[in-house]
Amino acid sequence: AQTVTQSQPEMSVQEAETVTLSCTYDTSESDYYLFWYKQPPSRQMILVIRQEAYKQQNATENRFSVNFQKAAKSFSLKISDSQLGDAAMYFCAYRSNTGKLIFGQGTTLQVKP
Amino acid sequence: SQTIHQWPATLVQPVGSPLSLECTVEGTSNPNLYWYRQAAGRGLQLLFYSVGIGQISSEVPQNLSASRPQDRQFILSSKKLLLSDSGFYLCAWSMGGPTDTQYFGPGTRLTVL
């Protein structure tokens, strides 16, 4: 069975600085998708970024980018120029060929002014 | 564009009472629909998913059930709530296919007393 691990329960970053959130996963599948979701205090899950495993190029969405290392089964999220509105809980998720999403336990990001 | 609604937003129910949470999606046809539960400060656990009207798959055996009476309506129910049913319930939709991505509703906070 696939598993997703986020080893950082909490992280903090100074406003305008860069922070990286870690995620590792375990799978025997070769084709899959990885996601980062953001959950602000409102608790609605918001899609941040998506990565297809067959693509070597790392996905980027404005200030958000990933470092996808398929061999290492690592999928970290980098937030550049951090803003106060980035404060939230971030979840890494794995989607298998069956379509089911498997989530990590989340990382709470604090942004300091 | 597609939107997803959930209601109620919050609910406080006594132990042993029935439950009905509703999720509806607008702007798309024949979506895949999902129910998740999130305990405080934890990741999401998939409860049920549906790929079509009347088609429900259960991931976790418990005293909850799900139904899909219409194409874009997904209902989570219980005949008798337990204390352990307290949590945050999220509905999600996706269109399936190779690039399947799940999008979440605003959630329902359920407290069972």
Side-chain angles (χ1 to χ4, degrees):
Chain A
Q2 298 88 4
T3 60
V4 177
T5 302
Q6 293 179 248
S7 59
Q8 306 155 315
E10 296 180 357
M11 292 282 286
S12 66
V13 62
Q14 207 69 33
E15 195 176 5
E17 297 294 312
T18 296
V19 65
T20 298
L21 308 183
S22 301
C23 173
T24 59
Y25 58 94
D26 187 25
T27 183
S28 58
E29 296 177 336
S30 59
D31 190 19
Y32 49 87
Y33 286 76
L34 296 164
F35 303 84
W36 278 97
Y37 284 90
K38 169 184 177 182
Q39 189 177 41
S42 67
R43 298 197 73 177
Q44 180 164 8
M45 296 286 282
I46 302 167
L47 177 68
V48 175
I49 201 164
R50 180 181 71 188
Q51 174 78 43
E52 294 90 336
Y54 63 85
K55 287 188 176 180
Q56 293 186 344
Q57 185 175 7
N58 289 323
T60 299
E61 286 288 340
N62 300 314
R63 298 182 294 106
F64 299 87
S65 61
V66 300
N67 182 6
F68 174 49
Q69 301 291 328
K70 190 173 184 179
K73 297 179 181 176
S74 170
F75 182 60
S76 60
L77 174 70
K78 185 172 82 171
I79 306 174
S80 303
D81 186 26
S82 297
Q83 301 175 0
L84 295 177
D86 295 333
M89 196 159 190
Y90 287 81
F91 290 94
C92 176
Y94 171 100
R95 181 175 74 82
S96 70
N97 291 330
T98 63
K100 297 174 187 177
L101 273 182
I102 300 165
F103 286 85
Q105 291 303 303
T107 297
T108 299
L109 177 66
Q110 181 184 26
V111 181
K112 299 178 180 178
Chain B
S1 63
Q2 301 87 0
T3 55
I4 178 169
H5 304 279
Q6 285 186 245
W7 60 86
T10 60
L11 190 61
V12 180
Q13 291 286 92
V15 170
S17 63
L19 173 73
S20 180
L21 303 182
E22 189 168 343
C23 170
T24 58
V25 181
E26 296 177 354
T28 187
S29 297
N30 196 31
N32 295 336
L33 296 172
Y34 309 83
W35 277 113
Y36 290 87
R37 178 167 61 197
Q38 183 181 29
R42 307 280 291 181
L44 277 67
Q45 179 187 39
L46 179 63
L47 301 175
F48 302 94
Y49 68 95
S50 171
V51 298
I53 295 176
Q55 301 178 58
I56 309 294
S57 296
S58 174
E59 287 295 301
V60 182
Q62 54 203 320
N63 70 321
L64 298 173
S65 63
S67 62
R68 185 170 176 173
Q70 299 180 40
D71 180 43
R72 291 169 292 173
Q73 184 184 34
F74 205 24
I75 296 174
L76 182 69
S77 303
S78 173
K79 292 182 179 179
K80 288 185 178 181
L81 283 169
L82 306 173
L83 287 174
S84 58
D85 291 324
S86 293
F88 191 64
Y89 289 82
L90 285 153
C91 180
W93 73 273
S94 72
M95 283 310 301
T99 60
D100 187 43
T101 298
Q102 292 183 27
Y103 298 93
F104 288 80
T108 295
R109 184 185 305 274
L110 172 66
T111 303
V112 182
L113 301 175

